[in-house]
Structure formats: C-alpha cells, structure tokens
Amino acid sequence: MNPRVQHRAAQDEEYEDLLGLWADLESTLSVLLAHPMQARNFAAKVRQCDRWLQDLVAHDIDAALYLMFQLASTSTVGYSTSHALVCATLCHIMAGELALTLRERNALVRAALTMNVGMTALQDELANQHERPSAAQQEAIRKHPEEGQAILERLYVTDHLWLDVVGQHHVNLPQRTPLAALEEVDRLTRVLNTIDRYAAMISPRHSRPGRSATDSVRALVGPGIDQRDEVGYLLVRSIGLCPPGTFVRLDNGDTAIVLRRSDKANLPLVARLADRQGKQYSPARLHQTADSKPQIQSSLPRATVTMELNHRTMVRVGLYAAQRSTSLVTQPGGL
C-alpha cells in the first residue's frame, strides 16, 4: 500500500478510536454517577476516569474541545453526566492556565466530575421537563451540594479539598477578589462555579435551547471580556470565544463549524458547511479566518443548525490542516 494512503488509513483508525474512547468514558461515568452507592471503590473509579480524561486531552486538546462542545448539545447518556464531563474537561484545561498545583488540579477536576452526585437523576429530570422546578425540586437543588459531599464521604472519599469544593460549589464568591487572595478551597470553588455556569448555558434543555458559546461567555463576564474577572478571562483566552466544536455564522452568510484554535486569538480554522441560502458544501470547505475573509460574525446555538456531521472526519481534517500550518495550535495548552 502507498505510504501516504497507509498514513491516512492509520489516522482514520486513530480518530475512530478517539471518538470511541470519549464515548466509553462518558458511559463509564454515567453508570458511576447514576448508582454511586453500588460502585465498588467509587473514589478509585473516579480517579480512573480522571486519568482517562487526562490521556484523551493530552492526545489532542482541540479534538477534546471539539468533542466536548458537541457532547454538550447532543449527549445520549443524560444531561448530568455530559455536563460533568464537559466541566471536568474545561477544569483540567484551566488548571494549566492557572498554574494550579497537582493537588489543587486533582481536587478541582474530581469535584467537577462528582459535584452533582447528590442529584444525578433529578438533574436529568430537570433537563427534560418544560415547566419550572417544583418547590420540592428547588429544595433538592438547594441541598444537593451538601448532600453530594455527604455521599462522597460515605463512599470513602478522603480528599478534604475535593469534598469541600463539592460542598460549596454553588457559593458565589466575589469575582473582583484576586484568586491569589482567596483561600485554596475558595479559589477552586470560584473556578468550578464559573465553569459550571458556562457549561450549563451552552447545554440545551427541553425548557430552553442552549445559548451560543459567545453569548454564554458574555453572560458570565459582560460584553467586554474583563481581565479583572480572572476565571472568565482565562477561560476565553484558553478556549476562545468560539471554541472548537461550536457553530458560527460568517460575515458572508455561510454557516461553519470551528475545528481548531490558531495562534491569533479568536481567529480559528473553520469548516464552511453551507452558504447563506442553506445549500451545503460537499465537501465542507476549510477556511483559516486568521488569513483572509470571510470572518466570524457570530456564534450559533446548536439548535439552529440542522445538518448532521461526521465528527470523525471533522476532527481528522482539522488535525491534518494543523500539521501543515504554522499558525494553528497543534500542542496541548492555551493560546
């Protein structure tokens, strides 16, 4: 077989495996969160999911972001699990941006994976109901951080930082206080609280569609990305206003999907999917917004895009382009 063809076939298989591994991780986490008291060595299994997550992100951070943002809007295993996995992935990426210690990073990511263990079934139920939460549901929501902490203690989680972050992850701490001035647990709480709200905004529920990624960021930190909000600012700096996996409208009317970040902030590589009349391009047209027009005009909520994509192909094509460009991000890490 021609070496170039062999290489392409190997890449196809590699990214087929990558998609399968993300799906397997999501399924494993789903079982763990749905039936925590039935799990043997719950804490060890969470740590195993964390290591699995780290390996997948290390493999290709842009592919991880692409899959996570698609997962947030199309998950089949339940809202609670997909939300936990999106939050944990973003927390892992942010840990590097914030230069957290290994102990802090581990507590943050594991808290993200388990913060809603006290209301997994209720969270899935809420995502599927059209009416506002009942009084009983509102009370369960209010109590779920402390209930989750108590469940984790019964499951022999002994990391007090992990436990404390879960127990107070809905506490709203002052955004203007420098992170460095906060106690360790409050610092991690603020990071998780911000990411929790961001991930919730981009994820659709029956009662409302998910917001676009840009609208979600602006709802958190205001129309101008304020550097005094350290977490929101670093979130935007590390993943972009329009991260891989989000849909965008270009200023010529085209609908596109972001494939990879570039070394120019918020000027990513996109695949143009359809023109302004909705006629699909076949195949999709790669376009580097950092180099020429059209530019991104706005991000789009997933619910407004009806076309189905082959995500394996999108991820592989994005990597193929990155390997042949000096301006696209090919290594793990922020911009």
Side-chain angles (χ1 to χ4, degrees), residues 58-320:
H59 181 281
D60 187 338
I61 195 171
D62 286 84
L65 287 169
Y66 179 100
L67 294 169
M68 285 304 93
F69 280 94
Q70 286 299 311
L71 178 67
S73 58
T74 61
S75 175
T76 59
V77 303
Y79 175 88
S80 192
T81 297
S82 67
H83 179 76
L85 194 50
V86 169
C87 289
T89 301
L90 293 176
C91 282
H92 173 64
I93 292 169
M94 287 290 288
E97 289 289 322
L98 294 164
L100 299 183
T101 65
L102 179 61
R103 175 174 175 270
E104 290 174 326
R105 179 257 163 231
N106 288 346
L108 176 64
V109 173
R110 292 163 193 175
L113 289 170
T114 58
M115 62 184 167
N116 294 319
V117 71
M119 57 171 286
T120 299
L122 174 59
Q123 195 173 30
D124 288 342
E125 181 183 330
L126 291 169
N128 289 314
Q129 75 180 41
H130 294 274
E131 62 274 11
R132 293 179 61 83
S134 66
Q137 288 175 328
Q138 289 178 20
E139 181 64 10
I141 293 168
R142 186 184 68 80
K143 289 183 174 179
H144 86 270
E146 61 188 66
E147 176 66 17
Q149 183 174 6
I151 288 172
L152 294 175
E153 288 172 343
R154 290 201 296 272
L155 291 167
Y156 304 105
V157 171
T158 57
D159 181 339
H160 291 290
L161 187 55
W162 171 1
L163 291 168
D164 289 344
V165 173
V166 168
Q168 68 171 46
H169 73 272
H170 274 202
V171 174
N172 289 314
L173 297 163
Q175 296 295 321
R176 299 307 184 198
T177 304
L179 286 174
L182 295 174
E183 295 291 331
E184 186 179 48
V185 65
D186 291 340
R187 184 163 59 249
L188 299 188
T189 296
R190 199 165 97 191
V191 175
L192 181 55
N193 186 287
T194 299
I195 288 174
D196 185 18
R197 288 183 290 128
Y198 173 77
M201 280 187 250
I202 64 171
S203 301
R205 303 184 186 189
H206 280 200
S207 59
R208 57 149 177 84
R211 297 190 190 192
S212 71
T214 306
D215 287 345
S216 298
V217 166
R218 287 175 175 154
L220 288 177
V221 299
I225 308 303
D226 192 336
Q227 293 192 34
R228 289 175 296 177
D229 178 357
E230 292 172 81
V231 181
Y233 174 72
L234 286 173
L235 180 64
V236 174
R237 195 185 78 175
S238 59
I239 68 173
L241 271 174
C242 300
T246 57
F247 290 96
V248 293
R249 176 84 65 209
L250 303 183
D251 56 18
N252 69 343
D254 279 5
T255 297
I257 188 169
V258 178
L259 298 183
R260 298 191 80 86
R261 302 161 300 156
S262 79
D263 59 4
K264 296 178 181 177
N266 298 314
L267 291 172
L269 173 75
V270 303
R272 295 162 63 182
L273 305 173
D275 64 19
R276 66 170 61 246
Q277 282 78 39
K279 182 179 179 181
Q280 293 189 32
Y281 296 122
S282 184
R285 300 178 180 179
L286 285 181
H287 173 61
Q288 177 52 273
T289 61
D291 294 341
S292 62
K293 292 187 175 182
Q295 302 292 313
I296 292 175
Q297 183 180 76
S298 62
S299 60
L300 297 172
R302 178 65 179 89
T304 64
V305 181
T306 57
M307 65 192 76
E308 296 298 322
L309 298 180
N310 184 321
H311 297 307
R312 176 185 62 80
T313 299
M314 290 291 103
V315 168
R316 179 177 56 78
V317 167
L319 178 63
Y320 183 83

